[in-house]
Structures are given as structure tokens and as C-alpha cells.
């Protein structure tokens, strides 16, 4: 063979993988004027999970858009903007709903829970059709100047004191100052640097099988009515979870609002392999066998058809001993993953993008790329991972008893509420003052991920995890553990009374209509503990109302709306 004379290709940063995290980071760096190459072994468009959004991830996307002047990241955060700027293939998400099941028995209407998602002030959450979302963000990064290299695998990575050398399987060579790995579970750097621990340290044990379908029937077409369930929001207009001992099912429709053009529905089954060992054979057979065990789940799928083959996984949980090093960093999903139960993955991804972009832009200016300069990234990633692991592991234990599940799921709802309030306050304070320090929310410490920085929540969380662990060890019944956790809710002074978390008969977290939100904000400003009054609720209601009008354009006629949107969005500009 002749000598390979191809020229060494030089960039400031290489990003491995072009999922939503890698392309958000690429867009930020390219917009700032740096030379970025995105190396991807596949090509867009492509299937991806991570479809269910939460308020935390949406708000952090808007904050990231503001801080780094990439408004397109903000467009990912609501159904309205995603429909306008990307496609009409996304579903609306007005709630998280949970129906509890026992094998071989019909679902009981009083064993149902819901967390309503407010649309105030920014708009409705969405079910992301990731094929379109990821392709859009990939195109945005390219438009800002990032160079795409698709259908190309990395075969070698070598770091030295002045940079990183990357070699591809087809012989191309790249020289960069820094490499960010967004390639997910099969992380190039995790393999290269042997970062996966030999023994899996995660508490959660689950595996998954999933697909996309058409013809999935909404629960209200065959099951209990919303009135009999005594829940405030339609199950079809949100992410529906069927939970049972040892696992749960997700149903994520993309066709659940008037403007939807996508007939698909995302369907998945997560199981604890210690309860449900993975069988040999066709995943379809396992799915059919599962449906035959649960008579109130099976009718969803009487007319359903798969549009793609089932994907069946082994254990989902993985992590890394290290997420940063000299001249490299892993994004959240390359570093680790737990389980999609509470849709925390997109928040963790966005948090890692935000943290890496901040640290890397400083490093590119100072030419300082040592591990110490990126330690904050690892702290954010590992803290979020560990908290989610405890949350989900306790949930699988709680699936064994409805009273315990009824108590435990509120812990997630409370933690998410505190964190989204902190993030929303940061956004609104920036809008009020234009002080970018307010956007530096991931540096506020101590950072717990779930629960924000509220020490009382961390204490409540850890004590309640210990209670659930006693159930797993069969030292407590689920009923007794639930009673103990409800008592802790009653004693906590940082929970809005409107939530009624201490009341087991109040099975939804909050209606989150305008009257309820006014009560919560009034409590936060006047009666909440000092930390919450000063660091969570010290925003102006006028600013919140202004943001509501800006994002919804409620005061404008249809023609004026069109003119307003054209003027606001024809050229990219910071949202806010």
C-alpha cells in the first residue's frame, strides 16, 4: 500500500456524536467563533429515544439559549416554538400520569396519580419527535459553522500536552485542542480510557424493550373516565405510565393535539431483570405475554401496529469513574444513564452541555485545558446521575405497594418543582436586570439536581430513601413506610400548602391553573422559608406576565401575531 498523504485536519474542538447534546454544544461553540468538527458514525435523520420533556430541561434550554446566544436551543423547549420552527410532528405534554396495576386484575380508579404541567409562562411542554429535533439541531450547528463528518468512526484517540489527535477508521486524521464525547453509552473515550467500572455501582436494575407504533388507543377510549379517576388533566395529553411490581410501561403519543401531523406513538416496557429475567427469543413474544398478564393495559394495543422492530436491551444502567480529563470531557449520556421513569435524561444532557460550554469557552480563551479546569462538569454530571439513581431505585421498590408508590412519587414532584422554580427565577431575574450572573444557576451550590439547593429537601429525600430501603429489606411494610413518608411531608416547612403532599387522598400534585399558581407564588413570596423567598420566588409577577404574553402572543390578533413572529424570529436573536 502507498503512503497516506492526506493532510492533517485542524480544529479547536471535536465533538464525537451528533445527538441533541453534541449538536447543542457544537452550535454554541461555532456561534462563538471557534472551529468545530462533529464526527458521527451514523447520519441524520435517525431514531432516538429521550422523547418526554420536563419543565426543568425546557427551562434550562431557554437559559442556555440566552446565556450563549443560540436562540434555536430555546425553540426546542415548547410545543408552540417546536411546531413553528421545526415540524408539526411533536406531541403536547400537559401532565405525567401514573396508573397502578396488579397482575391479572383490572386497574382500580382510585389508584391513579398525576402531576399537571403548567403552561405558564412559556408554553406547553412537548413530546419530542427526536428524529426531527435532532436533525434540526444538527442543521443549526452546521449553519453556525460546525463542520459535519458523518458515517465515520473514530479508531484512535491520543492526548498530549498541546492537543488531541483523532484517527478515523478510514484513515482521516484530526488535531484539536479539546474533544467532547457525546456518543452515548458506547462512548469512544470511555472505551479508550477504560472509564467504565468493573462492578456496576448503580442501585437501579432495569432493562427495556421499545418501539414506535400506530393505532395505539387512548386510555379514555376503553378505561376509566377522567371523572372516575378524579384527575384534573387528560391522560392522552401527557406521558402515561402504567406501573406495577417490577416495572412500568410508557405511552408517549405524538398525535394528541389538534395541530399534530404525526400518527406515531412511542411505547416501551422497562422491567427489573431480577423480577423479570430477560427471555430468549423474539421481543414481540415477551410483549404479548406481558399484555396478557395486565387486562387494563392490553386494550391500548388491540389495533396497534409496530412501524419499526422492537429494540430489547440488557441492563440500562452504566456510569463512569471519571467524566473529565486533560483536554476531554464526556456529556451526560456518555458518562452514564439510569432509567427513563421520570424523564430526567434531557435535563441531565442539557445541564452537561451548559456546564461544558461555560468551562470550555473559558479554556479556549485562556488556553488552559487541564482536568482541574473542568472539574465542575464532573460534579454536575455525577451529582445528577447519583440523585436520579436513588430516586428511580426507590421507585422500583415502591412499585410493590400502591400506598408506598402514592407517597414516593410525590418526592420526585416536589424535587422537580423546587428545581424548576429556581431555574425560572434565574431566567426571570435575567429578563428584569440583564445581569448574566443570574444565568449561572449550575454554579450555585450546593447543587443537588433534584430539589435545587434546598437543604431541607436533601434531608427529606435521604431520610425517605432510607425508609424505602427498609421496605426492600423487608423490615417495613409498604403501608407503614408510606405513613412515615407522609408524616415527613406534613412536618416540612418548604412545601407549598396548595400541594397537599401530606394527604394520601389528594392524588395529584397541583392543578397549576392560574388561581393555584397565584396561591403558590403568594406563599413563596410571603410565607416560605427565607431561602425560598430570596432565591426562588424573588421575581416580579409583572415580568412573568410579560414573558407569558411574549411567548403566547395572547394580546395580538392573528395577523398581528404573524407580523410579530416574523419580526421576532426572521433572524436568530436571543429569546428574552
Amino acid at each position: 500500500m502507498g503512503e497516506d498523504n492526506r493532510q492533517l485536519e485542524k480544529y479547536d474542538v471535536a465533538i464525537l456524536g451528533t445527538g441533541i447534546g453534541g449538536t447543542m454544544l457544537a452550535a454554541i461553540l461555532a456561534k462563538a467563533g471557534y472551529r468545530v468538527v462533529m464526527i458521527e458514525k451514523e447520519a441524520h435523520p435517525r431514531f432516538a429515544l429521550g422523547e418526554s420533556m420536563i419543565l426543568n430541561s425546557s427551562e434550562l434550554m431557554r437559559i442556555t439559549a440566552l446565556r450563549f446566544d443560540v436562540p434555536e436551543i430555546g425553540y426546542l423547549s415548547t410545543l408552540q416554538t417546536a411546531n413553528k420552527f421545526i415540524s408539526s410532528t411533536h406531541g403536547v405534554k400537559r401532565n405525567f400520569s401514573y396508573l397502578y396495576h396488579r397482575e391479572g386484575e383490572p386497574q382500580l380508579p382510585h389508584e391513579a396519580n398525576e402531576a399537571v404541567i403548567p403552561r405558564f409562562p412559556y408554553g406547553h411542554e412537548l413530546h419530542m419527535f427526536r428524529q426531527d429535533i435532532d436533525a434540526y439541531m444538527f442543521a443549526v450547528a452546521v449553519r453556525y459553522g460546525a463542520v459535519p463528518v458523518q458515517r465515520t468512526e473514530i479508531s484512535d484517540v491520543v492526548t498530549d500536552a498541546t492537543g488531541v489527535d483523532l484517527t478515523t477508521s478510514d484513515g482521516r486524521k484530526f488535531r484539536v485542542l479539546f474533544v467532547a464525547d457525546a456518543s452515548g453509552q458506547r462512548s469512544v473515550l470511555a472505551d479508550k480510557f477504560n472509564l467504565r467500572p468493573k462492578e456496576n455501582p448503580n442501585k437501579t436494575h432495569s432493562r427495556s424493550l421499545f418501539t414506535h407504533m400506530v393505532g395505539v388507543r387512548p386510555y379514555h377510549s376503553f378505561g376509566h373516565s377522567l371523572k372516575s379517576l378524579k384527575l384534573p388533566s387528560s391522560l392522552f395529553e401527557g406521558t402515561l405510565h402504567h406501573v406495577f411490581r417490577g416495572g412500568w410501561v410508557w405511552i408517549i403519543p405524538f398525535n394528541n393535539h389538534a395541530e399534530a401531523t404525526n400518527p406515531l406513538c412511542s411505547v416501551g416496557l422497562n422491567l427489573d431483570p431480577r423480577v423479570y429475567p430477560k427471555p430468549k427469543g423474539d421481543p414481540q413474544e415477551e410483549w404479548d405475554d406481558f399484555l396478557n398478564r395486565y387486562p387494563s393495559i392490553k386494550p391500548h394495543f388491540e389495533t396497534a401496529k409496530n412501524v419499526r422492530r422492537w429494540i430489547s436491551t440488557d441492563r440500562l444502567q452504566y456510569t463512569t469513574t471519571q467524566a473529565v480529563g486533560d483536554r476531554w470531557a464526556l456529556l451526560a449520556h456518555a458518562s452514564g444513564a439510569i432509567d427513563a421513569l421520570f424523564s430526567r435524561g434531557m435535563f441531565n444532557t442539557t445541564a452537561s452541555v451548559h456546564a461544558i460550554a461555560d468551562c470550555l469557552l473559558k479554556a479556549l480563551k485562556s488556553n488552559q485545558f487541564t482536568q482541574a479546569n473542568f472539574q465542575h462538569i464532573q460534579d454536575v454530571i455525577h451529582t445528577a446521575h447519583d440523585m436520579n439513581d436513588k430516586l428511580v431505585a426507590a421507585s422500583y421498590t415502591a412499585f410493590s405497594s400502591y400506598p408506598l408508590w402514592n407517597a414516593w412519587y410525590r418526592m420526585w414532584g416536589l424535587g422537580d418543582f423546587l428545581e424548576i422554580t429556581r431555574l425560572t427565577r434565574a431566567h426571570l431575574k435575567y429578563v428584569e436586570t440583564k445581569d448574566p450572573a443570574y444565568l449561572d444557576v449550575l454554579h450555585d451550590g450546593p447543587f443537588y439536581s433534584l430539589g435545587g439547593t434546598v437543604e431541607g429537601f436533601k434531608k427529606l429525600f435521604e431520610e425517605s430513601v432510607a425508609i424505602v430501603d427498609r421496605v426492600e429489606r423487608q423490615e417495613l411494610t409498604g403501608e407503614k413506610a408510606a405513613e412515615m413518608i407522609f408524616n415527613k411531608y406534613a412536618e416540612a416547612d418548604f412545601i407549598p400548602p396548595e400541594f397537599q403532599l401530606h394527604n394520601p387522598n389528594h392524588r395529584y400534585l397541583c392543578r397549576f391553573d392560574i388561581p393555584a399558581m397565584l396561591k403558590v407564588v403568594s406563599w413563596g413570596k410571603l410565607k416560605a422559608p427565607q431561602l425560598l423567598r430570596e432565591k426562588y420566588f424573588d421575581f416580579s409577577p409583572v415580568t412573568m406576565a410579560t414573558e407569558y404574553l411574549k411567548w403566547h402572543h395572547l394580546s395580538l390578533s392573528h395577523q398581528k401575531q404573524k407580523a410579530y413572529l416574523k419580526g421576532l424570529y426572521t433572524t436568530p436573536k436571543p429569546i428574552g
Side-chain angles (χ1 to χ4, degrees):
M1 293 179 62
E3 184 179 351
D4 190 338
N5 294 318
R6 282 182 286 189
Q7 187 175 1
L8 183 67
E9 301 177 55
K10 296 183 178 181
Y11 293 89
D12 297 311
V13 178
I15 295 176
L16 311 183
T18 58
I20 191 171
T23 52
M24 283 196 290
L25 181 60
I28 291 168
L29 299 174
K31 178 69 180 291
Y34 293 99
R35 298 168 299 164
V36 179
V37 61
M38 303 182 294
I39 304 175
E40 167 63 56
K41 67 178 181 179
E42 298 180 12
H44 291 282
R46 64 186 187 188
F47 172 81
L49 285 183
E51 299 151 326
S52 172
M53 291 284 281
I54 59 176
L55 288 169
N56 312 46
S57 47
S58 299
E59 185 61 285
L60 193 52
M61 283 178 175
R62 289 186 286 268
I63 288 172
T64 302
L66 281 169
R67 183 172 187 180
F68 301 110
D69 192 24
V70 181
E72 292 89 347
I73 295 175
Y75 301 162
L76 309 178
S77 67
T78 73
L79 178 66
Q80 289 88 337
T81 49
N83 276 352
K84 178 173 181 60
F85 298 108
I86 304 172
S87 69
S88 56
T89 54
H90 318 287
V92 69
K93 179 167 181 172
R94 301 176 191 264
N95 59 67
F96 281 87
S97 298
Y98 301 91
L99 300 182
Y100 189 83
H101 298 263
R102 294 174 179 82
E103 186 171 338
E105 300 179 14
Q107 199 275 328
L108 302 176
H110 66 276
E111 294 185 337
N113 299 89
E114 189 168 74
V116 179
I117 300 174
R119 68 187 182 103
F120 191 87
Y122 296 108
H124 287 302
E125 295 293 293
L126 72 156
H127 292 153
M128 285 184 163
F129 187 53
R130 285 289 302 276
Q131 175 178 311
D132 288 1
I133 291 283
D134 289 17
Y136 168 80
M137 204 63 227
F138 175 76
V140 168
V142 172
R143 185 166 69 84
Y144 279 126
V147 175
V149 179
Q150 298 191 87
R151 302 192 186 282
T152 300
E153 293 192 53
I154 296 295
S155 60
D156 196 19
V157 181
V158 178
T159 63
D160 58 40
T162 61
V164 183
D165 289 313
L166 303 171
T167 304
T168 69
S169 56
D170 61 353
R172 294 177 68 174
K173 296 183 182 296
F174 298 87
R175 177 72 174 178
V176 298
L177 299 175
F178 190 90
V179 59
D181 191 338
S183 57
Q185 183 175 2
R186 295 178 178 82
S187 161
V188 174
L189 297 187
D191 288 345
K192 171 66 179 179
F193 300 134
N194 196 27
L195 301 179
R196 304 284 188 225
K198 292 182 179 179
E199 298 294 329
N200 194 323
N202 298 291
K203 294 179 65 177
T204 307
H205 284 73
S206 63
R207 61 183 179 87
S208 187
L209 55 156
F210 51 86
T211 188
H212 279 172
M213 295 182 177
V214 293
V216 176
R217 296 175 63 192
Y219 186 78
H220 64 254
S221 70
F222 63 86
H224 302 299
S225 68
L226 201 62
K227 183 177 180 180
S228 62
L229 292 170
K230 296 182 179 179
L231 298 178
S233 178
S234 168
L235 276 59
F236 185 58
E237 294 183 323
T239 304
L240 175 57
H241 307 72
H242 294 287
V243 301
F244 50 88
R245 178 181 175 272
W248 62 282
V249 169
W250 78 72
I251 296 178
I252 301 176
F254 302 112
N255 62 338
N256 60 348
H257 60 95
E259 297 178 357
T261 59
N262 186 349
L264 296 180
C265 181
S266 178
V267 175
L269 171 64
N270 277 22
L271 297 168
D272 185 335
R274 297 169 298 182
V275 180
Y276 295 95
K278 185 177 180 179
K280 296 180 180 179
D282 187 352
Q284 182 68 49
E285 295 178 359
E286 181 179 13
W287 173 250
D288 292 340
D289 177 65
F290 166 78
L291 290 182
N292 288 330
R293 301 184 188 192
Y294 290 92
S296 294
I297 300 177
K298 186 176 182 178
H300 273 299
F301 305 100
E302 288 176 343
T303 59
K305 297 179 181 179
N306 291 27
V307 300
R308 55 180 299 114
R309 297 180 65 181
W310 286 100
I311 296 175
S312 180
T313 75
D314 294 316
R315 187 178 178 185
L316 295 169
Q317 294 71 45
Y318 60 95
T319 189
T320 52
T321 55
Q322 190 177 332
V324 297
D326 292 345
R327 297 189 178 273
W328 60 267
L330 306 183
L331 271 71
H333 197 56
S335 178
I338 298 298
D339 185 289
L341 178 60
F342 294 111
S343 304
R344 299 283 301 176
M346 191 60 69
F347 173 77
N348 294 341
T349 291
T350 309
S352 67
V353 168
H354 189 102
I356 291 173
D358 173 44
C359 295
L360 186 50
L361 287 171
K362 293 174 182 175
L364 288 165
K365 290 180 180 179
S366 65
N367 198 31
Q368 297 293 321
F369 297 95
T370 61
Q371 180 176 342
N373 290 317
F374 298 94
Q375 187 61 40
H376 171 61
I377 299 167
Q378 180 165 301
D379 294 343
V380 167
I381 291 174
H382 282 179
T383 297
H385 178 94
D386 293 345
M387 179 70 88
N388 195 33
D389 185 29
K390 293 177 181 178
L391 176 70
V392 176
S395 298
Y396 272 82
T397 300
F399 289 162
S400 63
S401 160
Y402 177 72
L404 181 55
W405 169 248
N406 186 30
W408 180 252
Y409 100 99
R410 299 162 193 248
M411 190 69 63
W412 153 75
L414 174 61
D416 263 21
F417 164 75
L418 292 171
E419 179 63 2
I420 186 55
T421 303
R422 189 175 78 99
L423 293 171
T424 300
R425 175 260 187 184
H427 188 163
L428 294 175
K429 292 295 285 186
Y430 173 78
V431 172
E432 290 174 19
T433 66
K434 300 304 179 187
D435 182 354
Y438 282 112
L439 302 182
D440 206 10
V441 288
L442 294 179
H443 288 278
D444 294 345
F447 171 70
Y448 304 136
S449 180
L450 194 69
T453 60
V454 179
E455 177 65 30
F457 176 82
K458 184 184 180 185
K459 182 174 183 291
L460 171 66
F461 180 84
E462 295 292 350
E463 290 176 351
S464 299
V465 166
I467 291 171
V468 177
D469 285 346
R470 292 181 63 190
V471 175
E472 185 177 22
R473 296 194 299 269
Q474 300 184 340
E475 298 171 3
L476 284 177
T477 64
E479 291 77 6
K480 181 59 179 178
E483 179 185 340
M484 294 168 69
I485 294 172
F486 279 120
N487 287 338
K488 288 186 176 295
Y489 291 142
E491 296 167 359
D493 64 353
F494 55 87
I495 301 174
E498 185 72 16
F499 287 8
Q500 298 189 50
L501 292 195
H502 64 286
N503 179 1
N505 296 318
H506 189 82
R507 293 180 286 102
Y508 58 89
L509 295 184
C510 186
R511 284 187 178 276
F512 277 118
D513 53 16
I514 297 299
M517 290 192 68
L518 288 175
K519 290 179 182 179
V520 171
V521 172
S522 176
W523 170 85
K525 286 184 168 295
L526 301 176
K527 298 180 180 180
Q530 184 176 358
L531 171 67
L532 269 68
R533 294 199 309 271
E534 294 182 354
K535 297 292 187 181
Y536 284 64
F537 287 95
D538 63 323
F539 52 80
S540 166
V542 173
T543 306
M544 178 177 278
T546 301
E547 287 291 282
Y548 179 78
L549 292 175
K550 184 176 70 178
W551 281 76
H552 291 274
H553 322 298
L554 296 181
S555 64
L556 303 174
S557 69
H558 181 67
Q559 291 301 319
K560 288 184 177 179
Q561 280 189 38
K562 292 175 65 175
Y564 177 76
L565 287 168
K566 183 177 180 181
L568 184 62
Y569 295 122
T570 297
T571 56
K573 59 187 297 187
I575 298 175

